[in-house]
Amino acid sequence: QVQLQESGPGLVKPSQTLSLTCTVSGGSITTAYYYWTWIRQPPGKGLEYIGNIAYTGNTYYIPSLKSRTSISRDTSKNQFTLQLSSVTPEDTAVYYCVRVYGMENKCDYWGQGTQVTVSG
């Protein structure tokens, strides 16, 4: 029932800001106890958790990316967004938006993923 869909530019230049939007249908991003999460997978590497925005609006970012990351939401559109600034080619990855059920720390719904390439 719940569907998540990533959208945004697939190509970003180094030093610019990567901006992605996740559109959620079939469920509200304000429903307790869900955490709306960004995860990425660089080519040939494993999944990397980036951060989340909770149903309350509170945010969390992993320490290694905290200085460059901003996650926000638009409840009227049932969307949440990722902004990653000062990107380098190491930020090239498939980016996923994911719903996490906080009571179990379980990723229960995933978007299909969107490829973002950082290249000049």
Side-chain angles (χ1 to χ4, degrees), residues 77-94:
K77 297 180 180 179
N78 214 38
Q79 295 177 331
F80 65 104
T81 62
L82 171 68
Q83 293 187 305
L84 183 66
S85 66
S86 302
V87 298
T88 74
E90 291 188 354
D91 294 309
T92 294
V94 177

Side-chain angles (χ1 to χ4, degrees), residues 9-103:
L11 182 64
V12 184
K13 295 180 179 179
S15 82
Q16 294 187 336
T17 296
L18 179 160
S19 297
L20 296 174
T21 296
C22 184
T23 300
V24 179
S25 62
S28 173
I29 62 174
T30 64
T31 297
Y33 297 94
Y34 294 105
Y35 293 76
W36 304 93
T37 301
W38 289 100
I39 295 170
R40 68 182 183 182
Q41 186 169 34
K45 299 181 180 179
L47 297 168
E48 180 183 27
Y49 193 98
I50 298 170
N52 70 71
I53 185 163
Y55 61 98
T56 60
N58 294 146
T59 56
Y60 168 79
Y61 316 112
I62 62 169
S64 62
L65 293 174
K66 184 177 181 179
S67 67
R68 298 196 290 132
T69 306
S70 178
I71 298 173
S72 58
R73 68 181 184 175
D74 185 338
T75 58
S76 70
K77 297 180 180 179
N78 214 38
Q79 295 177 331
F80 65 104
T81 62
L82 171 68
Q83 293 187 305
L84 183 66
S85 66
S86 302
V87 298
T88 74
E90 291 188 354
D91 294 309
T92 294
V94 177
Y95 284 75
Y96 298 92
C97 55
V98 184
R99 189 178 82 166
V100 174
Y101 181 50
M103 292 298 182

